[in-house]
Amino acid sequence: QKEVEQNSGPLSVPEGAIASLNCTYSDRGSQSFFWYRQYSGKSPELIMSIYSNGDKEDGRFTAQLNKASQYVSLLIRDSQPSDSATYLCAVKEGYSTLTFGKGTMLLVSP
Amino acid sequence: EAQVTQNPRYLITVTGKKLTVTCSQNMNHEYMSWYRQDPGLGLRQIYYSMNVEVTDKGDVPEGYKVSRKEKRNFPLILESPSPNQTSLYFCASSPYPEGGANEKLFFGSGTQLSVL
């Protein structure tokens, strides 16, 4: 059984700070990694995908992948109250379907 | 507008009364999937379909049926609902079932099901 682990939170950060969200996965064959954001009562939406070791930046978001440590993270710079949501880590191996973590709730206080 | 449409948005039913939750996508996606989301358990896959007439079980298929007779539609059927199927259900589709640099799941707006 593939496992994707996330701290459930909530992770509380003040506005303007860097939020760091972490995710570990059990399947060493995993090749594709995703971060989805889910606002309360809404459906998940993709915000970042990463496939190679290292960092990938998109605006205020940076995804970091370390396959040797089986670790993927999401950094949100200059956090805003509108970033308050649950962040879901998802992992995929080859042609298999996505396995989601349980999500980390982020609260950004003004 | 490109979208995944689920109906109904809310559904309250009683144990044993058959129901169908519909899902339709207008993006010509090959891959479609159903998830349920429960507090503390996250998103768990129920069934998925790689193409018309091709379906497969996910992690929690018991008590559910699906069919994929047309590319755009992927209904979820509960033949005899039970209270433990009370959950938030999401349908999703993707154009890249075999992976790809731009792989992305498009989710419907969800169906909140309560089985009494």
Side-chain angles (χ1 to χ4, degrees), chain B residues 56-111:
Chain B
D56 209 345
K57 296 178 181 179
D59 297 320
V60 289
E62 294 79 18
Y64 304 95
K65 284 177 56 177
V66 293
S67 68
R68 188 89 182 274
K69 295 184 173 62
E70 305 166 283
K71 198 171 187 178
R72 62 184 292 124
N73 295 323
F74 191 45
L76 179 69
I77 303 158
L78 285 72
E79 295 271 2
S80 183
S82 62
N84 65 11
Q85 292 179 298
T86 292
S87 186
L88 177 60
Y89 291 86
F90 287 104
C91 179
S93 70
S94 171
Y96 303 107
E98 298 181 349
N102 295 315
E103 182 175 6
K104 174 182 177 180
L105 272 178
F106 293 77
F107 283 86
S109 54
T111 296

Side-chain angles (χ1 to χ4, degrees), chain A residues 1 32 34 36 38 41-46 49 51 56 88 92 94-103, chain B residues 9 31 35 37 40-43 45 48 50 59 90 96-105 107-109:
Chain A
Q1 180 78 10
S32 308
F34 307 87
Y36 283 78
Q38 186 177 22
K42 301 296 185 181
S43 55
E45 57 177 333
L46 181 68
S49 58
Y51 301 89
K56 178 181 177 183
L88 306 173
K92 181 173 178 178
Y95 296 161
S96 72
T97 57
L98 282 176
T99 300
F100 283 88
K102 295 176 184 178
Chain B
R9 182 71 178 89
Y31 179 88
Y35 295 86
Q37 189 172 37
L41 296 177
L43 271 171
Q45 190 175 50
Y48 65 96
M50 301 289 261
D59 297 320
F90 287 104
Y96 303 107
E98 298 181 349
N102 295 315
E103 182 175 6
K104 174 182 177 180
L105 272 178
F107 283 86
S109 54

Side-chain angles (χ1 to χ4, degrees), chain A residues 60-73:
Chain A
R60 295 186 296 112
F61 298 97
T62 299
Q64 300 175 316
L65 175 61
N66 184 326
K67 289 185 179 180
S69 300
Q70 296 174 245
Y71 176 93
V72 58
S73 65

Side-chain angles (χ1 to χ4, degrees), chain A residues 5-92:
Chain A
E5 300 287 342
Q6 295 181 257
N7 188 319
S8 62
L11 172 66
S12 295
V13 301
E15 184 175 357
I18 295 175
S20 178
L21 304 160
N22 304 316
C23 172
T24 59
Y25 58 93
S26 63
D27 189 347
R28 282 198 171 272
S30 300
Q31 299 173 350
S32 308
F33 306 87
F34 307 87
W35 284 98
Y36 283 78
R37 177 177 64 198
Q38 186 177 22
Y39 291 112
S40 181
K42 301 296 185 181
S43 55
E45 57 177 333
L46 181 68
I47 54 172
M48 290 288 286
S49 58
I50 186 166
Y51 301 89
S52 304
N53 279 329
D55 294 359
K56 178 181 177 183
E57 186 174 320
D58 184 0
R60 295 186 296 112
F61 298 97
T62 299
Q64 300 175 316
L65 175 61
N66 184 326
K67 289 185 179 180
S69 300
Q70 296 174 245
Y71 176 93
V72 58
S73 65
L74 179 70
L75 300 179
I76 306 174
R77 290 181 299 281
D78 188 24
S79 295
Q80 300 297 310
S82 58
D83 294 325
S84 297
T86 295
Y87 289 81
L88 306 173
C89 175
V91 173
K92 181 173 178 178

